[in-house]
Amino acid sequence: MTVDEFRAEQVLWGAIGLLFGVGASILLLADDPHRSPVMLVVLCFATALSGVVLRDYALSQEVGKREQRMLNEFPTIAEMLALAVGAGEGPVGALDRVTRTSQGELAKELGTALADARAGASLVAALENIVTRTSLQALERFVDGVAVAVERGTPLA
């Protein structure tokens, strides 16, 4: 999802919250017609704001679950990469083999990095883009290790 699509969903959730606030205000007014209009406006504002905040919270939960899945996949992917490099493949070939044979969030991210590298970006820059899209420390250390090995020409295995 793009930032614009997310903001549109936030506006939608805020509008739904506002509708709930208006509905609650109407019910409160039907119960007691002498209610303070300021309190009803504050109720509408609070429910609209709650909708926006709930969408942000839902996104945070989705990101957390995705990163947990990536963290769970990481040992297997790292082992597969090590085996491919140990078998004589270069970094790009190893990434290609792993992304073709694996499924999951981390494999998709590595596939994106591989596509970036094939489009002209350096492999190190493409892998560092994964780190900027996630907040996983283990993945950051892994990418740093690969970057050092590729830049210095040391054996990657």
Side-chain angles (χ1 to χ4, degrees):
M1 159 182 314
T2 66
V3 174
D4 292 335
E5 291 170 343
F6 172 71
R7 295 294 179 212
E9 279 192 16
Q10 267 189 318
V11 169
L12 180 65
W13 284 43
I16 291 169
L18 179 63
L19 287 176
F20 277 117
V22 169
S25 295
I26 290 171
L27 289 176
L28 288 171
L29 274 175
D31 183 44
D32 181 13
H34 301 296
R35 292 213 186 255
S36 168
V38 173
M39 190 171 86
L40 297 176
V41 169
V42 168
L43 174 67
C44 291
F45 178 75
T47 55
L49 184 62
S50 295
V52 171
V53 170
L54 279 173
R55 180 59 189 119
D56 188 57
Y57 177 76
L59 177 66
S60 297
Q61 293 300 309
E62 290 173 25
V63 167
K65 288 177 184 176
R66 178 178 182 265
E67 287 187 347
Q68 186 59 46
R69 286 191 307 268
M70 289 175 73
L71 195 57
N72 291 341
E73 297 167 11
F74 180 69
T76 304
I77 297 290
E79 183 71 24
M80 290 173 65
L81 283 170
L83 288 172
V85 169
E89 294 208 39
V92 174
L95 282 173
D96 183 48
R97 180 177 300 274
V98 168
T99 56
R100 279 186 290 118
T101 59
S102 301
Q103 295 177 352
E105 297 297 327
L106 187 54
K108 288 178 189 174
E109 283 292 335
L110 289 173
T112 302
L114 185 61
D116 290 346
R118 287 183 173 156
S122 72
L123 180 61
V124 173
L127 290 173
E128 286 174 350
N129 285 338
I130 294 174
V131 173
T132 60
R133 290 189 297 262
T134 65
S135 63
L136 299 174
Q137 295 297 321
L139 189 58
E140 183 176 356
R141 288 190 302 272
F142 176 77
V143 167
D144 288 343
V146 171
V148 167
V150 168
E151 287 174 350
R152 294 184 183 170
T154 58
L156 191 58

